[in-house]
Amino acid sequence: QVQLVESGGGLVQPGGSLRLSCAASTSIFSSSAMAWFRQVPGKQRELVASITGSGWTNYADSVKGRITISRDNGKRTLYLEMKSLKPEDTAVYYCNGDPWKRSNGEYAYWGQGTQVAVSS
């Protein structure tokens, strides 16, 4: 069963912008903390930004000031607005959240992700 569907990735030039979306199939989306992660081949997946159910946000130092996480609880959708993109932002981006988080902190499910490529 598909539970998280990421979209919006693509190829963009340095300095460009993208808006990623994540449609979540969970009835408890509005009260759940959610997050965006990214992964480059050969490297560990890293946390990019997170948002609580009440809207508090947190960002990795590498993206502060350039990326904004937001959510639309009515649409059960998570967003990642990315501006001033850099080549080092190139990665597959994934969303995830508390409904899929195990007690040990690992996530039981990952969507297919969306590829972001920043290149001239």
Side-chain angles (χ1 to χ4, degrees):
Q1 180 183 1
V2 177
Q3 302 176 50
L4 293 165
V5 180
E6 300 92 344
S7 62
L11 174 62
V12 63
Q13 291 187 341
S17 301
L18 281 174
R19 188 193 197 203
L20 307 185
S21 299
C22 167
S25 297
T26 174
S27 60
I28 58 172
F29 179 83
S30 63
S31 61
S32 300
M34 297 291 296
W36 283 97
F37 300 81
R38 65 187 181 188
Q39 188 170 27
V40 175
K43 293 188 177 181
Q44 282 194 331
R45 193 171 282 153
E46 65 171 348
L47 176 66
V48 176
S50 61
I51 184 169
T52 66
S54 55
W56 289 98
T57 59
N58 193 39
Y59 298 92
D61 288 342
S62 60
V63 304
K64 279 181 181 177
R66 302 188 296 115
I67 287 181
T68 302
I69 188 172
S70 62
R71 63 193 301 159
D72 184 330
N73 290 333
K75 294 182 179 179
R76 296 180 184 177
T77 300
L78 184 72
Y79 300 101
L80 192 70
E81 191 80 39
M82 303 191 294
K83 300 178 180 179
S84 302
L85 283 163
K86 303 176 180 180
E88 51 263 44
D89 294 317
T90 296
V92 179
Y93 284 71
Y94 301 88
C95 64
N96 221 315
D98 283 352
W100 299 277
K101 201 170 189 177
R102 294 190 177 113
S103 58
N104 63 1
E106 295 181 352
Y107 291 94
Y109 170 86
W110 290 93
Q112 84 288 349
T114 186
Q115 174 73 54
V116 172
V118 184
S119 175
S120 55

